[in-house]
Structure formats: structure tokens, C-alpha cells
Coordinates of all heavy atoms in Angstrom, one line a residue:
M471 N 10.7 -22.8 1.3 CA 11.3 -21.9 0.4 C 12.2 -21.1 1.3 O 11.8 -20.3 2.0 CB 10.3 -21.1 -0.5 CG 10.9 -20.7 -1.8 SD 9.7 -20.2 -2.8 CE 9.4 -18.5 -2.4
A472 N 13.5 -21.2 1.1 CA 14.4 -20.4 1.9 C 14.8 -19.2 1.2 O 15.0 -19.1 0.0 CB 15.7 -21.2 2.2
S473 N 14.8 -18.0 2.0 CA 15.1 -16.8 1.3 C 15.8 -15.8 2.1 O 15.6 -15.9 3.4 CB 13.8 -16.0 0.9 OG 14.1 -14.6 0.5
D474 N 16.9 -15.1 1.7 CA 17.6 -14.1 2.5 C 16.7 -13.0 3.1 O 16.9 -12.5 4.1 CB 18.7 -13.5 1.9 CG 19.7 -14.6 1.5 OD1 19.8 -15.6 2.1 OD2 20.5 -14.3 0.4
E475 N 15.7 -12.8 2.4 CA 14.7 -11.8 2.9 C 13.5 -12.2 3.7 O 12.7 -11.5 4.0 CB 14.1 -11.0 1.5 CG 15.2 -10.4 0.6 CD 14.5 -9.8 -0.6 OE1 13.6 -9.2 -0.4 OE2 14.9 -10.3 -1.7
S476 N 13.7 -13.4 4.1 CA 12.4 -14.0 4.7 C 12.0 -13.3 6.1 O 10.9 -13.3 6.6 CB 12.6 -15.5 5.1 OG 13.8 -15.7 5.8
E477 N 12.9 -12.7 6.7 CA 12.6 -12.0 8.0 C 11.7 -10.8 7.7 O 11.0 -10.4 8.6 CB 13.8 -11.9 8.9 CG 14.8 -10.9 8.6 CD 15.9 -11.1 7.6 OE1 16.1 -12.1 6.9 OE2 16.7 -10.1 7.4
K478 N 11.9 -10.1 6.5 CA 11.1 -9.0 6.3 C 9.8 -9.3 5.4 O 9.0 -8.3 5.2 CB 11.9 -8.1 5.4 CG 13.0 -7.4 6.2 CD 13.5 -6.1 5.3 CE 14.2 -5.2 6.1 NZ 14.8 -4.1 5.3
Y479 N 9.6 -10.5 5.1 CA 8.6 -10.8 4.1 C 7.9 -12.1 4.4 O 8.4 -13.0 4.7 CB 9.3 -10.7 2.8 CG 8.7 -11.6 1.7 CD1 7.3 -11.4 1.2 CD2 9.7 -12.2 0.9 CE1 7.0 -12.1 0.1 CE2 9.2 -13.0 -0.2 CZ 7.8 -12.9 -0.5 OH 7.4 -13.5 -1.7
D480 N 6.6 -11.9 4.7 CA 5.8 -13.1 5.0 C 5.2 -13.6 3.8 O 4.2 -12.9 3.2 CB 4.8 -12.6 6.0 CG 3.9 -13.8 6.7 OD1 3.9 -14.8 5.9 OD2 3.1 -13.5 7.4
E481 N 5.5 -14.8 3.4 CA 4.9 -15.4 2.0 C 3.4 -15.6 2.1 O 2.7 -15.6 1.0 CB 5.5 -16.7 1.8 CG 6.8 -16.6 1.1 CD 7.5 -17.9 1.1 OE1 6.9 -19.0 1.0 OE2 8.8 -18.0 1.0
S482 N 2.8 -15.6 3.3 CA 1.4 -15.8 3.4 C 0.6 -14.5 3.4 O -0.6 -14.5 3.5 CB 1.0 -16.7 4.6 OG 1.4 -16.0 5.8
C483 N 1.3 -13.5 3.4 CA 0.8 -12.0 3.5 C 0.6 -11.5 2.2 O 1.6 -11.2 1.5 CB 1.7 -11.2 4.4 SG 1.1 -9.6 4.5
I484 N -0.7 -11.3 1.8 CA -1.0 -10.8 0.6 C -0.3 -9.4 0.3 O 0.1 -9.1 -0.9 CB -2.5 -10.7 0.3 CG1 -2.8 -10.3 -1.1 CG2 -3.2 -9.8 1.4 CD1 -2.4 -11.2 -2.3
F485 N -0.2 -8.5 1.4 CA 0.4 -7.3 1.2 C 1.7 -7.2 0.9 O 2.3 -6.5 0.1 CB 0.1 -6.4 2.4 CG -1.5 -6.1 2.5 CD1 -2.2 -6.5 3.7 CD2 -2.1 -5.3 1.7 CE1 -3.5 -6.3 3.9 CE2 -3.5 -5.2 1.8 CZ -4.2 -5.7 2.9
C486 N 2.4 -8.2 1.5 CA 3.9 -8.4 1.3 C 4.1 -8.8 -0.2 O 5.1 -8.4 -0.9 CB 4.6 -9.3 2.3 SG 4.7 -8.6 3.9
L487 N 3.2 -9.7 -0.7 CA 3.4 -10.2 -2.0 C 3.2 -9.1 -2.9 O 3.9 -9.0 -4.0 CB 2.3 -11.4 -2.3 CG 2.5 -12.6 -1.6 CD1 1.4 -13.6 -1.8 CD2 3.9 -13.4 -1.9
I488 N 2.2 -8.3 -2.7 CA 1.9 -7.2 -3.5 C 3.1 -6.0 -3.5 O 3.6 -5.7 -4.6 CB 0.6 -6.4 -3.2 CG1 -0.6 -7.3 -3.4 CG2 0.4 -5.0 -3.9 CD1 -1.8 -6.9 -2.8
A489 N 3.6 -5.9 -2.4 CA 4.8 -5.1 -2.2 C 6.1 -5.4 -3.1 O 6.8 -4.7 -3.4 CB 5.1 -4.7 -0.7
K490 N 6.1 -6.8 -3.2 CA 7.3 -7.4 -4.0 C 6.8 -7.5 -5.4 O 7.5 -8.4 -6.0 CB 7.7 -8.7 -3.1 CG 8.2 -8.3 -1.9 CD 9.3 -9.4 -1.5 CE 10.2 -8.8 -0.5 NZ 11.5 -8.7 -1.0
N491 N 5.6 -7.2 -5.8 CA 5.1 -7.5 -7.2 C 5.0 -8.8 -7.5 O 5.3 -9.4 -8.6 CB 6.1 -6.7 -8.2 CG 5.8 -5.2 -8.2 OD1 4.7 -4.7 -8.0 ND2 7.0 -4.5 -8.2
Q492 N 4.7 -9.6 -6.4 CA 4.6 -11.1 -6.6 C 3.2 -11.5 -7.0 O 2.9 -12.7 -7.2 CB 5.0 -11.9 -5.3 CG 6.5 -11.6 -5.0 CD 7.4 -12.4 -5.7 OE1 7.3 -13.6 -6.0 NE2 8.3 -11.7 -6.5
D493 N 2.2 -10.7 -6.8 CA 0.8 -11.0 -6.9 C 0.3 -10.4 -8.4 O 0.2 -9.3 -8.6 CB -0.1 -10.4 -5.9 CG -1.5 -10.8 -6.0 OD1 -1.8 -11.9 -5.7 OD2 -2.5 -9.9 -6.3
E494 N 0.1 -11.3 -9.2 CA -0.3 -11.0 -10.5 C -1.7 -10.3 -10.7 O -1.9 -9.6 -11.7 CB -0.2 -12.3 -11.5 CG 1.1 -12.8 -11.7 CD 1.1 -14.2 -12.3 OE1 0.3 -14.6 -12.7 OE2 2.4 -14.8 -12.3
E495 N -2.5 -10.6 -9.8 CA -3.8 -9.9 -9.9 C -3.9 -8.6 -9.6 O -4.9 -7.9 -9.8 CB -4.8 -10.7 -8.8 CG -4.7 -12.2 -8.9 CD -5.8 -12.7 -10.0 OE1 -7.0 -12.3 -9.7 OE2 -5.5 -13.4 -10.8
T496 N -2.8 -8.1 -8.9 CA -2.9 -6.7 -8.4 C -2.1 -5.7 -9.2 O -1.1 -6.0 -9.9 CB -2.3 -6.6 -7.0 OG1 -2.9 -7.7 -6.2 CG2 -2.2 -5.4 -6.4
E497 N -2.9 -4.5 -9.5 CA -2.4 -3.6 -10.3 C -1.8 -2.5 -9.7 O -2.4 -1.9 -8.9 CB -3.5 -3.1 -11.3 CG -3.1 -2.0 -12.3 CD -4.3 -1.4 -12.9 OE1 -5.4 -1.9 -12.7 OE2 -4.1 -0.3 -13.5
V498 N -0.5 -2.4 -9.6 CA 0.3 -1.4 -8.8 C 0.3 -0.1 -9.5 O 0.6 0.0 -10.7 CB 1.7 -1.8 -8.5 CG1 2.5 -0.8 -7.8 CG2 1.7 -3.0 -7.7
I499 N -0.2 0.9 -8.9 CA -0.5 2.1 -9.5 C 0.7 3.1 -9.4 O 1.2 3.8 -10.2 CB -1.6 3.0 -8.8 CG1 -2.9 2.0 -8.7 CG2 -1.9 4.3 -9.6 CD1 -3.7 2.0 -9.9
K500 N 1.3 3.0 -8.1 CA 2.6 3.9 -7.9 C 3.2 3.3 -6.8 O 2.8 2.6 -6.0 CB 1.8 5.2 -7.4 CG 2.7 6.5 -7.4 CD 1.9 7.7 -6.9 CE 2.7 9.0 -7.0 NZ 2.7 9.5 -8.4
Q501 N 4.5 3.5 -6.9 CA 5.3 2.9 -5.7 C 6.6 3.8 -5.7 O 7.1 4.5 -6.6 CB 5.7 1.5 -6.0 CG 6.5 1.3 -7.4 CD 6.5 -0.3 -7.6 OE1 6.9 -1.0 -6.7 NE2 6.2 -0.7 -8.8
N502 N 7.2 3.8 -4.5 CA 8.6 4.3 -4.2 C 9.3 3.3 -3.4 O 8.9 2.1 -3.2 CB 8.5 5.7 -3.7 CG 7.7 5.8 -2.3 OD1 7.7 4.8 -1.6 ND2 7.2 7.0 -2.2
E503 N 10.4 3.8 -2.9 CA 11.3 2.8 -2.0 C 10.6 2.4 -0.7 O 10.9 1.4 -0.2 CB 12.7 3.3 -1.8 CG 12.9 4.7 -1.2 CD 12.3 5.8 -2.0 OE1 12.4 5.9 -3.1 OE2 11.8 6.8 -1.3
E504 N 9.6 3.3 -0.3 CA 9.0 3.0 0.9 C 7.5 2.5 0.8 O 7.3 1.6 1.7 CB 9.0 4.3 1.7 CG 8.4 4.2 3.1 CD 8.5 5.6 3.8 OE1 8.2 6.5 3.1 OE2 8.8 5.6 4.9
L505 N 6.9 3.0 -0.1 CA 5.3 2.7 -0.2 C 5.0 2.0 -1.5 O 5.6 2.2 -2.6 CB 4.7 4.0 0.0 CG 4.9 4.8 1.3 CD1 4.2 6.1 1.2 CD2 4.5 4.1 2.6
V506 N 3.9 1.4 -1.5 CA 3.4 0.8 -2.7 C 1.8 1.1 -2.7 O 1.1 1.0 -1.7 CB 3.4 -0.7 -2.8 CG1 2.8 -1.2 -4.1 CG2 4.9 -1.1 -2.6
C507 N 1.3 1.6 -3.9 CA 0.0 2.0 -4.0 C -0.7 1.1 -5.1 O -0.2 1.0 -6.0 CB -0.3 3.3 -4.3 SG -2.0 3.9 -4.4
F508 N -1.7 0.4 -4.7 CA -2.5 -0.5 -5.7 C -3.9 -0.4 -5.8 O -4.4 0.1 -4.8 CB -1.9 -1.9 -5.4 CG -2.3 -2.4 -4.1 CD1 -3.4 -3.0 -3.8 CD2 -1.5 -2.1 -3.0 CE1 -3.7 -3.6 -2.7 CE2 -1.8 -2.6 -1.8 CZ -3.0 -3.3 -1.6
R509 N -4.5 -0.8 -6.7 CA -5.8 -1.0 -6.8 C -6.5 -2.1 -6.0 O -6.0 -3.2 -6.2 CB -6.4 -1.1 -8.4 CG -7.7 -0.6 -8.7 CD -8.0 -1.0 -10.1 NE -7.3 -0.3 -11.0 CZ -7.8 1.0 -11.5 NH1 -8.9 1.5 -11.1 NH2 -7.1 1.7 -12.4
D510 N -7.5 -1.9 -5.2 CA -8.1 -3.0 -4.5 C -8.6 -4.0 -5.5 O -9.3 -3.8 -6.4 CB -9.2 -2.3 -3.7 CG -9.7 -3.2 -2.5 OD1 -9.6 -4.5 -2.6 OD2 -9.9 -2.7 -1.5
I511 N -8.4 -5.3 -5.0 CA -8.9 -6.4 -5.9 C -10.4 -6.4 -5.9 O -11.0 -6.8 -6.9 CB -8.2 -7.7 -5.5 CG1 -6.6 -7.7 -5.5 CG2 -8.6 -9.0 -6.2 CD1 -6.0 -8.6 -4.6
C512 N -10.9 -6.2 -4.8 CA -12.5 -6.2 -4.7 C -12.9 -4.7 -4.4 O -13.2 -4.7 -3.2 CB -12.9 -7.2 -3.6 SG -12.3 -8.9 -3.9
P513 N -12.9 -3.9 -5.3 CA -13.2 -2.5 -4.9 C -14.6 -2.3 -4.2 O -15.4 -2.9 -4.9 CB -13.1 -1.9 -6.3 CG -12.6 -2.7 -7.2 CD -12.8 -4.1 -6.8
A514 N -14.6 -1.7 -3.2 CA -15.9 -1.4 -2.6 C -16.4 -0.1 -3.1 O -17.6 0.3 -3.0 CB -15.7 -1.3 -1.0
A515 N -15.5 0.7 -3.7 CA -15.8 2.0 -4.3 C -15.3 2.0 -5.8 O -14.4 1.3 -6.0 CB -15.3 3.1 -3.4
P516 N -15.8 3.0 -6.6 CA -15.3 2.9 -8.1 C -13.8 3.1 -8.1 O -13.0 2.6 -8.9 CB -16.0 4.0 -8.6 CG -17.3 4.3 -7.9 CD -17.0 3.9 -6.4
H517 N -13.3 4.1 -7.1 CA -11.9 4.3 -7.0 C -11.4 3.9 -5.6 O -11.6 4.8 -4.7 CB -11.7 5.7 -7.3 CG -11.9 6.1 -8.8 ND1 -11.2 5.8 -9.8 CD2 -13.1 6.9 -9.2 CE1 -11.9 6.2 -11.0 NE2 -12.9 6.8 -10.6
H518 N -10.9 2.7 -5.5 CA -10.6 2.2 -4.2 C -9.1 1.8 -4.3 O -8.8 0.7 -4.9 CB -11.5 1.1 -3.7 CG -11.4 0.8 -2.3 ND1 -11.5 -0.4 -1.8 CD2 -11.1 1.7 -1.3 CE1 -11.5 -0.4 -0.3 NE2 -11.3 1.0 -0.1
Y519 N -8.2 2.6 -3.8 CA -6.8 2.2 -3.8 C -6.3 2.2 -2.3 O -6.8 2.8 -1.4 CB -6.1 3.4 -4.5 CG -6.6 3.8 -5.8 CD1 -7.4 4.9 -6.1 CD2 -6.3 3.0 -7.1 CE1 -7.9 5.1 -7.3 CE2 -6.8 3.2 -8.2 CZ -7.7 4.4 -8.4 OH -8.3 4.6 -9.5
L520 N -5.4 1.3 -2.2 CA -4.8 1.1 -1.0 C -3.3 1.5 -1.0 O -2.6 1.2 -2.1 CB -4.9 -0.4 -0.6 CG -6.2 -0.9 -0.4 CD1 -6.3 -2.5 -0.1 CD2 -7.1 -0.2 0.7
V521 N -2.7 2.1 0.1 CA -1.3 2.3 0.1 C -0.7 1.5 1.3 O -1.3 1.6 2.4 CB -1.0 3.8 0.4 CG1 0.4 4.2 0.4 CG2 -1.8 4.7 -0.7
I522 N 0.3 0.9 1.0 CA 1.0 0.1 2.1 C 2.4 0.3 2.0 O 2.9 0.6 1.1 CB 0.6 -1.5 1.8 CG1 1.1 -1.9 0.6 CG2 -0.8 -1.7 2.2 CD1 1.3 -3.5 0.5
P523 N 3.0 0.1 3.3 CA 4.4 0.2 3.4 C 5.0 -1.1 2.8 O 4.4 -2.1 3.0 CB 4.7 0.4 4.8 CG 3.6 -0.1 5.4 CD 2.5 0.1 4.6
R524 N 6.2 -1.0 2.4 CA 6.8 -2.3 2.0 C 7.2 -3.1 3.1 O 7.3 -4.4 3.1 CB 8.1 -2.1 1.1 CG 7.9 -1.4 -0.3 CD 9.3 -1.2 -1.0 NE 8.8 -0.6 -2.2 CZ 8.6 -1.2 -3.4 NH1 8.6 -2.5 -3.3 NH2 8.3 -0.5 -4.4
E525 N 7.4 -2.5 4.2 CA 7.9 -3.2 5.5 C 6.5 -3.9 5.9 O 5.4 -3.5 5.7 CB 8.1 -2.2 6.5 CG 9.3 -2.4 7.4 CD 9.5 -1.4 8.4 OE1 9.5 -0.2 8.0 OE2 9.7 -1.7 9.6
H526 N 6.7 -5.0 6.5 CA 5.6 -5.8 7.1 C 5.0 -5.3 8.4 O 5.2 -5.8 9.4 CB 5.9 -7.3 7.2 CG 4.8 -8.1 7.6 ND1 3.9 -8.5 6.8 CD2 4.5 -8.8 8.7 CE1 3.0 -9.2 7.3 NE2 3.3 -9.4 8.7
I527 N 4.4 -4.2 8.2 CA 3.6 -3.6 9.4 C 2.2 -3.2 9.1 O 1.9 -2.1 9.1 CB 4.4 -2.3 9.9 CG1 4.8 -1.3 8.8 CG2 5.7 -2.7 10.8 CD1 5.2 0.0 9.4
H528 N 1.4 -4.1 8.6 CA 0.2 -3.8 8.0 C -0.9 -3.5 9.0 O -1.8 -2.8 8.8 CB -0.2 -4.9 7.0 CG 0.8 -5.3 6.2 ND1 1.5 -4.4 5.4 CD2 1.3 -6.5 5.9 CE1 2.4 -5.1 4.7 NE2 2.5 -6.3 5.1
S529 N -0.7 -4.2 10.3 CA -1.7 -4.1 11.3 C -1.7 -2.8 12.0 O -0.7 -2.3 12.4 CB -1.7 -5.2 12.2 OG -2.3 -4.9 13.4
C530 N -2.9 -2.2 12.0 CA -2.9 -0.9 12.9 C -2.3 -1.0 14.2 O -1.8 -0.2 14.9 CB -4.3 -0.3 12.9 SG -4.8 0.2 11.3
C531 N -2.7 -2.2 14.7 CA -2.1 -2.6 16.2 C -0.5 -2.5 16.2 O -0.1 -2.3 17.4 CB -2.6 -4.0 16.6 SG -4.3 -4.1 16.4
S532 N 0.1 -2.8 15.2 CA 1.6 -2.8 15.2 C 2.1 -1.5 14.9 O 3.4 -1.4 14.9 CB 2.1 -3.9 14.3 OG 1.9 -3.6 13.0
L533 N 1.2 -0.5 14.6 CA 1.8 0.8 14.4 C 2.1 1.6 15.6 O 1.4 1.4 16.5 CB 0.7 1.7 13.5 CG 0.5 1.2 12.0 CD1 -0.6 2.0 11.4 CD2 1.8 1.5 11.1
S534 N 3.2 2.2 15.6 CA 3.6 3.0 16.9 C 3.8 4.3 16.5 O 3.7 4.7 15.3 CB 4.8 2.4 17.4 OG 5.8 2.4 16.5
R535 N 4.2 5.2 17.5 CA 4.3 6.6 17.2 C 5.4 6.9 16.1 O 5.2 7.8 15.4 CB 4.9 7.2 18.4 CG 4.1 8.0 19.2 CD 4.6 8.2 20.7 NE 3.6 8.1 21.7 CZ 3.0 9.2 22.3 NH1 3.5 10.3 22.1 NH2 2.1 8.9 23.1
E536 N 6.4 6.0 15.9 CA 7.4 6.3 14.9 C 6.7 6.1 13.6 O 7.4 6.6 12.6 CB 8.5 5.2 15.0 CG 9.2 4.9 16.2 CD 9.6 3.4 16.3 OE1 10.0 2.8 15.3 OE2 9.5 2.9 17.5
H537 N 5.5 5.6 13.5 CA 5.0 5.4 12.2 C 4.1 6.5 11.8 O 3.5 6.5 10.6 CB 4.2 3.9 12.2 CG 5.0 2.8 12.2 ND1 5.0 1.8 13.3 CD2 6.2 2.5 11.5 CE1 5.9 1.0 13.1 NE2 6.5 1.3 12.0
I538 N 3.9 7.5 12.6 CA 2.9 8.6 12.3 C 3.4 9.1 11.0 O 2.5 9.5 10.1 CB 3.0 9.5 13.4 CG1 2.1 8.9 14.7 CG2 2.2 10.8 12.9 CD1 2.1 9.8 15.8
H539 N 4.7 9.6 10.8 CA 5.2 10.1 9.6 C 5.0 9.2 8.4 O 4.6 9.8 7.3 CB 6.5 10.6 9.7 CG 6.7 11.7 10.8 ND1 6.0 13.0 10.6 CD2 7.3 11.7 12.0 CE1 6.3 13.7 11.7 NE2 7.0 12.9 12.5
L540 N 5.1 8.0 8.6 CA 4.9 7.0 7.6 C 3.4 7.1 7.1 O 3.1 7.1 5.9 CB 5.2 5.6 8.0 CG 5.0 4.4 7.1 CD1 5.9 4.6 5.8 CD2 5.3 3.1 7.8
V541 N 2.6 7.0 8.1 CA 1.2 7.1 7.7 C 0.8 8.4 7.0 O 0.0 8.4 6.1 CB 0.2 7.1 9.0 CG1 -1.1 7.3 8.8 CG2 0.5 5.5 9.7
E542 N 1.3 9.4 7.3 CA 1.2 10.8 6.7 C 1.7 10.6 5.2 O 1.0 11.0 4.3 CB 1.9 11.8 7.5 CG 1.1 12.4 8.6 CD 1.9 13.3 9.5 OE1 3.1 13.8 9.0 OE2 1.5 13.8 10.4
R543 N 2.7 10.1 5.0 CA 3.3 9.8 3.6 C 2.3 8.9 2.9 O 2.2 9.0 1.7 CB 4.7 9.4 3.7 CG 5.6 10.4 4.0 CD 7.2 10.0 3.6 NE 7.6 8.9 4.6 CZ 8.2 9.1 5.8 NH1 8.2 10.2 6.4 NH2 8.6 7.9 6.4
M544 N 1.9 7.9 3.5 CA 0.9 7.0 2.8 C -0.4 7.8 2.5 O -0.9 7.6 1.4 CB 0.4 5.9 3.9 CG 1.5 4.8 4.2 SD 1.2 3.9 5.5 CE -0.2 2.8 4.9
T545 N -0.9 8.6 3.3 CA -2.0 9.5 3.0 C -1.8 10.3 1.8 O -2.5 10.5 0.9 CB -2.5 10.2 4.3 OG1 -2.6 9.3 5.4 CG2 -3.8 11.0 4.0
S546 N -0.6 11.1 1.8 CA -0.4 12.0 0.8 C -0.1 11.2 -0.5 O -0.5 11.7 -1.6 CB 0.8 12.8 1.2 OG 2.1 12.2 1.3
M547 N 0.4 10.1 -0.5 CA 0.5 9.2 -1.8 C -0.8 8.9 -2.2 O -1.1 8.9 -3.4 CB 1.4 8.0 -1.7 CG 1.5 7.2 -2.8 SD 2.3 5.6 -2.7 CE 3.9 5.9 -3.4
G548 N -1.7 8.5 -1.4 CA -3.1 8.2 -1.7 C -3.8 9.4 -2.4 O -4.4 9.1 -3.5
R549 N -3.6 10.6 -1.9 CA -4.1 11.8 -2.5 C -3.6 12.0 -3.8 O -4.3 12.4 -4.8 CB -3.9 12.9 -1.6 CG -4.6 12.8 -0.2 CD -5.3 14.2 0.1 NE -6.3 14.0 1.1 CZ -6.0 14.2 2.4 NH1 -4.8 14.7 2.8 NH2 -6.9 14.0 3.4
A550 N -2.2 11.8 -3.9 CA -1.6 12.2 -5.2 C -2.2 11.1 -6.4 O -2.3 11.5 -7.4 CB 0.0 11.8 -5.0
V551 N -2.3 9.8 -6.0 CA -2.9 8.9 -6.9 C -4.3 9.2 -7.4 O -4.6 9.3 -8.5 CB -2.9 7.5 -6.3 CG1 -3.7 6.5 -7.1 CG2 -1.5 6.9 -6.1
L552 N -5.2 9.7 -6.4 CA -6.5 10.1 -6.7 C -6.6 11.4 -7.6 O -7.1 11.4 -8.6 CB -7.3 10.4 -5.5 CG -7.6 9.2 -4.6 CD1 -8.2 9.6 -3.3 CD2 -8.5 8.2 -5.2
K553 N -5.6 12.2 -7.4 CA -5.4 13.3 -8.2 C -5.0 13.0 -9.7 O -5.7 13.5 -10.7 CB -4.3 14.4 -7.8 CG -4.9 15.6 -7.1 CD -3.8 16.5 -6.8 CE -4.5 17.7 -6.1 NZ -3.3 18.6 -5.5
E554 N -4.2 12.1 -9.8 CA -3.7 11.6 -11.1 C -4.7 11.0 -11.9 O -4.7 10.8 -13.0 CB -2.5 10.6 -10.9 CG -1.2 11.3 -10.7 CD 0.0 10.5 -10.2 OE1 -0.2 9.2 -10.5 OE2 0.9 10.9 -9.7
Q555 N -5.6 10.3 -11.1 CA -6.8 9.6 -11.7 C -8.0 10.5 -12.0 O -9.0 10.1 -12.4 CB -7.3 8.4 -10.8 CG -6.2 7.4 -10.3 CD -5.9 6.4 -11.3 OE1 -6.6 6.1 -12.0 NE2 -4.6 6.2 -11.6
G556 N -7.7 11.8 -11.7 CA -8.8 12.9 -12.0 C -9.8 13.0 -11.0 O -10.9 13.4 -11.4
I557 N -9.6 12.4 -9.8 CA -10.7 12.6 -8.8 C -10.4 13.7 -7.9 O -9.4 13.8 -7.2 CB -10.7 11.1 -7.9 CG1 -10.8 10.0 -8.9 CG2 -11.7 11.2 -6.8 CD1 -10.4 8.7 -8.5
T558 N -11.4 14.5 -7.9 CA -11.2 15.7 -6.9 C -12.2 15.6 -5.9 O -12.1 16.4 -5.0 CB -11.5 17.0 -7.9 OG1 -12.5 16.9 -8.6 CG2 -10.3 17.3 -8.9
N559 N -13.2 15.0 -6.1 CA -14.4 14.8 -4.9 C -13.9 13.8 -4.0 O -14.3 12.5 -4.3 CB -15.7 14.6 -5.7 CG -16.8 14.5 -4.5 OD1 -16.6 14.8 -3.3 ND2 -18.0 14.4 -5.0
M560 N -13.3 14.1 -2.9 CA -12.9 13.2 -1.9 C -14.0 12.4 -1.2 O -13.7 11.4 -0.6 CB -12.0 13.8 -0.8 CG -10.7 14.3 -1.3 SD -9.6 13.0 -1.9 CE -8.4 14.0 -2.9
E561 N -15.1 13.1 -1.3 CA -16.3 12.4 -0.6 C -16.6 11.0 -1.2 O -17.3 10.2 -0.6 CB -17.6 13.2 -0.8 CG -17.4 14.7 -0.5 CD -18.0 15.0 1.0 OE1 -19.1 14.7 1.2 OE2 -17.3 15.6 1.7
E562 N -16.3 10.7 -2.6 CA -16.6 9.5 -3.3 C -15.6 8.4 -2.9 O -15.8 7.2 -3.4 CB -16.5 9.8 -4.7 CG -17.6 10.5 -5.3 CD -17.6 10.7 -6.7 OE1 -16.7 10.1 -7.4 OE2 -18.3 11.6 -7.3
V563 N -14.7 8.7 -2.1 CA -13.6 7.8 -1.9 C -13.7 7.3 -0.4 O -13.9 7.8 0.5 CB -12.2 8.5 -2.1 CG1 -11.1 7.5 -1.7 CG2 -12.1 9.1 -3.4
S564 N -13.5 5.9 -0.4 CA -13.6 5.3 1.0 C -12.3 4.9 1.4 O -11.4 4.9 0.6 CB -14.5 4.1 0.8 OG -14.0 3.2 0.1
Ligands
LIG605 ZN1 3.0 -8.3 5.3

């Protein structure tokens, strides 16, 4: 499958599929031009949400110093989602 966006998007990568709303199983809760927050398909906790960048940099190993601010924004989006879901006790969240 040839695509102009192929260099930014790995078809075998579930996170990329979710970021592009290509995964029907996944319920996207919140998104912006940079980040996507979705409900974990196999929740380990009652409220388990993941925030990922749209860019294909999912591995912690590939995160560099430039991504620190991105990670902060991911964390704050995660908090915002939890608040919207009415969760105030952060201890229950993994
Ligand atoms: Zn990816």
C-alpha cells in the first residue's frame, strides 16, 4: 500500500493506527493536532487511558531531550481526561 504519509506512519504500529483513527476497536477520548488520548483496549485499571503523540516516537528509548515538553503535555492531557471522567483520586490510576 503506497502512501504519501508512509514515512511518518507505520502500518504495523497499533499506536499509529489509533492516532490516525484507523483502529475501530479503540475509543479515542480526546485529541489535538499533537496528541491522541484513548481508552486502553485491555484495561489493567478501571480507568486506564493512554496518551500518545501522533508522531511515531512511541518507544521511550527514542525519546530525547527535545521530547521532554511533549511528555509534559502528554501528562497534562492525561490529567485533563481523568478530570473530565470525574476521577480525582490519582492513586487509582495506573
Ligand atoms: Zn507508531
Side-chain angles (χ1 to χ4, degrees):
M471 210 163 83
S473 163
D474 292 337
E475 300 177 54
S476 57
E477 71 284 357
K478 279 195 167 179
Y479 156 48
D480 180 351
E481 278 170 29
S482 65
C483 173
I484 184 67
F485 294 116
C486 285
L487 292 177
I488 292 167
K490 294 207 157 250
N491 290 317
Q492 300 281 306
D493 185 69
E494 290 171 9
E495 305 278 302
T496 303
E497 186 187 342
V498 173
I499 311 274
K500 201 179 186 70
Q501 59 187 312
N502 61 26
E503 59 293 327
E504 185 179 40
L505 304 171
V506 180
C507 179
F508 58 94
R509 197 187 292 273
D510 198 329
I511 301 164
C512 305
H517 296 282
H518 198 207
Y519 305 102
L520 297 176
V521 181
I522 55 162
R524 289 179 186 276
E525 223 184 310
H526 184 72
I527 47 162
H528 316 302
S529 162
C530 290
C531 305
S532 67
L533 289 175
S534 63
R535 253 165 224 253
E536 314 153 28
H537 294 120
I538 286 175
H539 295 294
L540 175 65
V541 171
E542 282 171 0
R543 288 195 293 276
M544 288 166 72
T545 307
S546 68
M547 180 188 259
R549 293 230 167 94
V551 167
L552 291 173
K553 250 188 191 167
E554 282 170 21
Q555 304 284 325
I557 301 153
T558 49
N559 183 1
M560 293 295 170
E561 313 255 312
E562 283 177 19
V563 181
S564 66

